[in-house]
């Protein structure tokens, strides 16, 4: 078990930026974006990439990025339709 802990502590990847923009509620001090992909306290900015996922996905990361982009586009469409 000690070897597993050492592995996870010192070996990591910088190629997949998952988990760098936490999605959550406004009351969560670590959350960066809401469930509609909008960045807190920055009007008009949304995040549509793998950074909103808490961990690297088990599927192809490009597919996950496409899904995040599609969901974000749907949220923007809803916002524009309500104007």
């Amino acid at each position: 078990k000690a070897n597993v802990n050492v592995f996870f502590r010192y070996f990591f990847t910088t190629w997949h930026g998952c988990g760098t923009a936490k999605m959550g509620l406004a009351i969560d001090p670590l959350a960066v974006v809401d469930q509609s992909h909008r960045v807190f306290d920055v009007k008009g900015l949304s995040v549509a990439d793998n950074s909103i996922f808490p961990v690297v996905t088990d599927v192809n990361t490009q597919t996950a990025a496409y899904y995040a982009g599609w969901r974000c586009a749907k949220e923007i469409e809803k916002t524009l339709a309500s104007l």
Side-chain angles (χ1 to χ4, degrees), residues 8-81:
F8 284 112
R9 183 171 179 181
Y10 294 105
F11 296 91
F12 57 91
T13 180
T14 58
W15 296 105
H16 301 291
C18 294
T20 58
K22 182 180 179 183
M23 182 180 281
L25 300 175
I27 59 172
D28 182 352
L30 299 178
V32 177
V33 298
D34 65 12
Q35 286 80 3
S36 296
H37 298 257
R38 294 177 299 222
V39 177
F40 292 123
D41 300 325
V42 182
K43 186 175 181 179
L45 181 63
S46 297
V47 174
D49 63 13
N50 288 343
S51 64
I52 63 169
F53 297 117
V55 295
V56 177
T57 59
D58 291 337
V59 298
N60 183 318
T61 54
Q62 184 175 358
T63 304
Y66 287 160
Y67 177 73
W70 178 80
R71 288 280 308 166
C72 184
K74 290 294 181 186
E75 293 296 333
I76 292 171
E77 284 179 344
K78 284 194 315 190
T79 301
L80 293 176

